[in-house]
Amino acid sequence: MTSFSTSSTPSILAQNLRINSSEQPGPWLSNSTWPLIKSSSLGMSCFTMTFGAISNLTALGILAKSRLRFHRQSKAPFLLLTVALLLADLAGHVIPGAFALYLHIDQRYKIQAGKPTKEFCQIFGASMVFFGLCPLLLGCAMAVERCVAITQPFFHAAMITLSHVWRVVLFLSSLALVLAVLPLFAVGTYTTQFPGTWCFLPVHDPQSTADTNLSLAFSCLGLTALTFSLLCNILSGLALLRARLKCHDGNAESSSRSIRRASSTSTSLFCSLDVEMMAQLAVLTVVSCVCWGPFLIRILVLQFKQRTSVYEKDGFILLGLRMASWNQILDPWVYILLRKAVLFRLCCAFYAQRPTVRETRSCEDTHREAFSLQ
């Protein structure tokens, strides 16, 4: 999903205060009621859409260069899930972003008088639901895959293959697609949302039980994916920490210098890719929780809450949508910044602050040996 304008929200406060609480505004108010989209807001939407697409393409290019390294280290399942996530983020910027820009320009320059067609809103809403759920579900699958790989390495090596991961990607994509296209078959509906620049499920005033169920399914699936991601990352982090402490204890008890050096090299080998991927997953999960949490929780709360003022609902839901749209911009930067080369420089900078030069050089030599074996 791309970024949507919210700068015009405060300007309609006086109008909302004059609306009687018993009135039921339709999904598309008259052109005189919608606030006019400012040029700066339209430009910001274009910028975020372009910047997000470029960021995802850059991250995909970096992963393409790392393909041989991941394949050699038997990390191909994680690489496949990462590529699927970035492709979903890229498509989530381009496709819904194009729809949103059309409505921005339409409302700004009055190209079409009145509401968009029902078919347009249905397709736009379906793309919002599909590209909103896909990154959350794929991120959860990545966390589960790493948790199994770290806590049960032999089972992962024997049972988790690329064909299995392909099936998982297809299953999760199909799950999001089925939920997204149900309103196209008269199971629920999509309506134009305030301020007229996006279409989504009618979360404020559902027109039927199907609308409520779809909104609950969307929010519950997203929150469940975030919860599983958090739990799996915590388990993986604890497993890595225990393994690292055991390695350090083994190094301290070793009496032979050659044994110490071999153990240090194996520790670096163990930490180079696993820590790199865990750092990426941890930051990715935090970003997803911060960006998507408010939007999903707000949708869930609205289904069990009586209707409030239009301004309060639209102001909060627009803020949550704007935060959620930044998730697909920040995702690729996690893989751009938290790479082995960047982590290696940070590690060297940390050890460079140590008082002795010998420790710094030994650390750098050990890490270079480990990376050269990859």
Side-chain angles (χ1 to χ4, degrees):
M1 293 187 297
T2 190
S3 180
F4 299 90
S5 171
T6 60
S7 61
S8 58
T9 303
S11 63
I12 57 127
L13 177 58
Q15 296 180 9
N16 288 327
L17 292 176
R18 291 195 299 266
I19 297 178
N20 190 290
S21 59
S22 63
E23 292 177 355
Q24 304 290 333
W28 184 276
L29 303 181
S30 62
N31 289 335
S32 61
T33 306
W34 290 121
L36 187 64
I37 299 298
K38 297 180 180 180
S39 300
S40 59
S41 302
L42 180 60
M44 180 59 67
S45 298
C46 295
F47 169 76
T48 53
M49 176 182 171
T50 305
F51 180 67
I54 293 175
S55 299
N56 281 279
L57 289 173
T58 303
L60 286 171
I62 292 174
L63 284 178
K65 293 182 180 180
S66 305
R67 182 175 180 273
L68 294 178
R69 177 167 63 94
F70 275 84
H71 180 72
R72 194 184 310 128
Q73 294 293 332
S74 300
K75 311 298 182 182
F78 182 82
L79 177 64
L80 176 58
L81 291 171
T82 304
V83 171
L85 174 65
L86 292 177
L87 288 176
D89 285 339
L90 177 62
H93 270 289
V94 175
I95 298 176
F99 292 145
L101 285 178
Y102 171 79
L103 291 181
H104 271 83
I105 296 173
D106 177 45
Q107 190 172 346
R108 171 70 183 174
Y109 299 103
K110 309 288 185 180
I111 297 177
Q112 176 186 354
K115 64 180 181 180
T117 61
K118 180 181 179 181
E119 292 76 12
F120 178 88
C121 193
Q122 294 287 83
I123 296 175
F124 189 6
S127 67
M128 292 282 291
V129 171
F130 176 75
F131 292 113
L133 280 179
C134 270
L136 297 176
L137 297 177
L138 292 173
C140 178
M142 292 169 62
V144 172
E145 188 273 337
R146 279 297 88 198
C147 183
V148 174
I150 292 174
T151 59
Q152 303 292 332
F154 296 105
F155 174 81
H156 180 273
M159 301 300 297
I160 306 300
T161 62
L162 279 179
S163 61
H164 294 146
V165 178
W166 270 113
R167 293 170 187 171
V168 170
V169 172
L170 291 177
F171 170 76
L172 296 178
S173 301
S174 301
L175 179 62
L177 182 62
V178 168
L179 184 64
V181 301
L182 282 178
L184 303 182
F185 297 94
V187 182
T189 184
Y190 292 112
T191 57
T192 307
Q193 306 294 316
F194 179 87
T197 56
W198 60 295
C199 297
F200 198 69
L201 297 167
V203 294
H204 297 117
D205 52 345
Q207 303 173 9
S208 63
T209 306
D211 291 336
T212 303
N213 293 335
L214 286 177
S215 299
L216 286 174
F218 177 84
S219 59
C220 290
L221 270 177
L223 291 173
T224 302
L226 290 178
T227 303
F228 268 97
S229 298
L230 280 174
L231 293 177
C232 290
N233 286 335
I234 290 174
L235 293 176
S236 301
L238 292 176
L240 284 176
L241 182 60
R242 286 197 301 266
R244 187 64 182 265
L245 292 176
K246 288 181 181 179
C247 289
H248 280 296
D249 293 340
N251 289 338
E253 296 175 358
S254 298
S255 57
S256 172
R257 184 175 181 179
S258 60
I259 295 178
R260 287 200 306 268
R261 187 170 183 82
S263 178
S264 176
T265 303
S266 63
T267 303
S268 298
L269 274 169
F270 175 76
C271 293
S272 59
L273 265 180
D274 285 319
V275 171
E276 175 188 356
M277 289 185 288
M278 280 308 305
Q280 292 172 348
L281 265 180
V283 176
L284 181 69
T285 304
V286 171
V287 169
S288 298
C289 290
V290 173
C291 292
W292 275 102
F295 187 68
L296 295 173
I297 293 175
R298 180 60 175 173
I299 292 176
L300 184 64
V301 170
L302 284 174
Q303 307 313 307
F304 303 98
K305 188 177 181 181
Q306 292 182 350
R307 293 195 64 214
T308 56
S309 64
V310 177
Y311 175 74
E312 178 185 350
K313 293 183 301 182
D314 287 334
F316 198 97
I317 206 73
L318 273 174
L319 177 61
L321 178 67
R322 194 178 186 89
M323 293 175 62
S325 67
W326 274 94
N327 179 71
Q328 294 165 316
I329 298 177
L330 297 176
D331 277 353
W333 285 99
V334 173
Y335 301 101
I336 293 173
L337 297 178
L338 298 181
R339 291 177 292 142
K340 183 182 69 175
V342 177
L343 294 176
F344 172 71
R345 292 190 183 97
L346 292 176
C347 180
C348 290
F350 172 76
Y351 282 103
Q353 297 177 358
R354 297 282 183 90
T356 58
V357 180
R358 179 179 299 178
E359 292 179 357
T360 303
R361 289 180 177 176
S362 63
C363 170
E364 293 178 356
D365 293 340
T366 303
H367 278 273
R368 287 195 183 98
E369 276 189 21
F371 294 152
S372 65
L373 293 176
Q374 298 177 16

